[in-house]
Amino acid sequence: MNILVSGGAGYIGSHTCVSLLEEGHQVIVVDNLSNSKYEVIDRINKITNRNVIFYKADLTEKDLIDVIFSKHAIDAVIHFAGLKSVGESVEKPLKYYHNNIVSTLNLVRVCQNYGVNKFVFSSSATVYGNNQVPSVETLNLLPTTNPYGETKAMSERILKDISSANPELSVSILRYFNPVGAHTSGLIGEVPNGIPNNLMPYMTQVAKGKIEKLKVFGNDYLTSDGTGVRDYIHVMDLAEGHVAALNSLTKGVHIYNLGTGRGTSVLELIEAFEKANSIKLSYEIVERRAGDLAESYAETSKAFEELGWVAKRDIVDMCKDAWRFEKNNLE
Ligand code: NAD
Ligand code: UDP
């Protein structure tokens, strides 16, 4: 198939491009490079020995997207493009609502014009808010604590309404838990903009000596060791989850959690990283971070039963691959 991948130069998109190319698909990436570099496209090509078709374009500009669809017979869209920093979204809500919502609207509108009925959307476990765990797809969504989360919940809603009005549409909404790790080649991975917000890239930068010490945000949660628990998932498992979702698309809107179903605490992740890479990480316990949940992990049976997909890589793989990429990353 000809798959248009929006945000394909980014962290999750680039790994998914690798999986798609390895499955024999033709990949057309549209990315404005606001949070990525063109070099990533070269690296995807190098890993797969294939060639991605690349357009530097902003999805908020509908006419540009229109031109791209007119040039290629697109069979399906995987929509990753979006801004993703929770903290920045609180400071700049307009920027987030505009970028994330207008991009989704433009893309579905152009899909409609060109009769493209297959659509896969990047959502997030954040839409569950402070709900019961494990998170199961049938839960009623609670308001999230930030505009970023709201853009995901709204985009889901938009896709559901559009699908109700157009029964020909097949939409898969994928709610990611905590993607970490990198491709085993060490050529592509996560490159945070400035000081990382997320735990794993923070840990790899401490390991590299870019940052002196890791701050553990709170050890008084009601969890096994008091630190926050998350469902970390290897980014290549996530990438393969997209291929499975694409292969299983059926009419209507279908929502799947992509996680491992296992929770890991901050201290457990630090210990696993130290062991996997024979490195000591210096850290201190500090105050809780505002808005953090005690724990979050996925109920994964729906993805297994309907997509035949299950995460295969473990925490050791995630820690080794994340560190290999950080070592290779010259920035
Ligand atoms: P990323 O920032 O690495 O990739 C997103 C890509 O989209 C970037 O390359 C960026 O340049 C591009 N982009 C942003 N706005 C654009 C626009 N208007 N037009 C064209 N390109 C645009 O992020 P990621 O971690 O790969 O995340 C991909 C998707 O998954 C995002 O929608 C994100 O919200 C979602 N998600 C990510 C996580 C995570 O922890 N990484 C968790 C849950 C959901
Ligand atoms: N965390 C931490 N120090 C950091 C970054 C994160 O202790 O520098 C904790 C955070 O409180 C949470 C877990 O690590 O319990 C995962 O945080 P991350 O930001 O990676 O993911 P999210 O909270 O968005 O699920």
Side-chain angles (χ1 to χ4, degrees):
M1 288 200 279
N2 288 332
I3 321 273
L4 185 137
V5 180
S6 82
Y11 174 44
I12 305 169
S14 57
H15 291 79
T16 304
C17 286
V18 168
S19 290
L20 291 168
L21 289 162
E22 283 173 350
E23 287 285 306
H25 296 295
Q26 176 73 259
V27 173
I28 298 119
V29 167
V30 181
D31 198 304
N32 64 2
L33 302 180
S34 60
N35 197 35
S36 50
K37 292 196 173 134
Y38 178 76
E39 193 187 356
V40 171
I41 301 295
D42 284 335
R43 291 180 173 209
I44 296 170
N45 293 343
K46 189 169 173 196
I47 291 169
T48 58
N49 208 14
R50 297 274 312 278
N51 276 315
V52 163
I53 298 170
F54 177 75
Y55 290 95
K56 181 170 187 279
D58 194 305
L59 291 164
T60 61
E61 294 178 42
K62 183 178 157 290
D63 293 348
L64 286 180
I65 313 308
D66 215 282
V67 171
I68 297 166
F69 274 68
S70 73
K71 287 192 179 160
H72 303 275
I74 308 287
D75 296 298
V77 167
I78 307 184
H79 179 31
F80 291 102
L83 298 171
K84 64 167 180 179
S85 161
V86 169
E88 192 192 28
S89 79
V90 174
E91 283 159 27
K92 298 175 180 165
L94 194 52
K95 177 176 171 186
Y96 271 67
Y97 284 117
H98 178 76
N99 189 75
N100 292 3
I101 301 296
V102 175
S103 293
T104 302
L105 289 175
N106 282 346
L107 209 43
V108 287
R109 193 174 289 146
V110 178
C111 279
Q112 234 165 29
N113 292 347
Y114 285 85
V116 177
N117 286 328
K118 294 186 167 140
F119 200 91
V120 177
F121 177 65
S122 298
S123 189
S124 164
T126 192
V127 297
Y128 289 113
N130 194 6
N131 224 316
Q132 66 190 67
V133 285
S135 306
V136 58
E137 290 90 341
T138 47
L139 282 172
N140 284 328
L141 299 188
L142 296 178
T144 65
T145 52
N146 57 81
Y148 164 71
E150 290 307 301
T151 68
K152 291 296 173 194
M154 272 180 209
S155 295
E156 287 197 7
R157 183 60 202 265
I158 289 167
L159 290 169
K160 281 181 205 163
D161 289 344
I162 291 170
S163 161
S164 305
N166 176 5
E168 289 306 307
L169 258 188
S170 300
V171 178
S172 199
I173 291 176
L174 305 179
R175 293 180 179 157
Y176 312 152
F177 280 68
N178 289 62
V180 296
H183 190 265
T184 47
S185 62
L187 288 172
I188 54 172
E190 185 170 13
V191 188
N193 205 344
I195 297 170
N197 293 311
N198 297 112
L199 181 59
M200 182 66 95
Y202 207 100
M203 280 173 35
T204 58
Q205 294 204 8
V206 170
K208 204 172 184 182
K210 280 193 201 167
I211 300 175
E212 193 200 331
K213 211 182 246 180
L214 172 68
K215 293 187 177 79
V216 175
F217 296 142
N219 66 349
D220 57 352
Y221 287 105
L222 287 176
T223 57
S224 56
D225 60 20
T227 64
V229 166
R230 295 291 183 274
D231 186 341
Y232 298 98
I233 173 168
H234 196 292
V235 66
M236 282 310 297
D237 277 323
L238 202 56
E240 289 161 12
H242 288 75
V243 176
L246 196 67
N247 290 339
S248 312
L249 275 172
T250 51
K251 285 177 187 164
V253 172
H254 306 276
I255 301 178
Y256 300 100
N257 287 336
L258 295 186
T260 65
R262 284 182 297 280
T264 303
S265 75
V266 177
L267 293 181
E268 284 168 346
L269 193 66
I270 294 173
E271 199 187 326
F273 187 92
E274 291 184 330
K275 245 195 203 155
N277 297 313
S278 307
I279 287 179
K280 249 356 238 156
L281 289 178
S282 88
Y283 69 87
E284 61 179 332
I285 311 284
V286 300
E287 289 297 293
R288 289 180 180 194
R289 182 171 66 178
D292 264 359
L293 302 174
E295 60 177 350
S296 158
Y297 55 93
E299 165 57 57
T300 56
S301 48
K302 190 176 177 199
F304 178 61
E305 282 156 21
E306 295 186 16
L307 307 179
W309 170 90
V310 66
K312 297 189 209 112
R313 296 154 179 95
D314 63 14
I315 288 283
V316 174
D317 298 320
M318 300 180 210
C319 291
K320 281 188 174 164
D321 294 341
W323 177 229
R324 184 185 303 107
F325 177 71
E326 181 67 53
K327 278 189 294 185
N328 278 5
N329 183 1
L330 299 177
E331 280 178 41

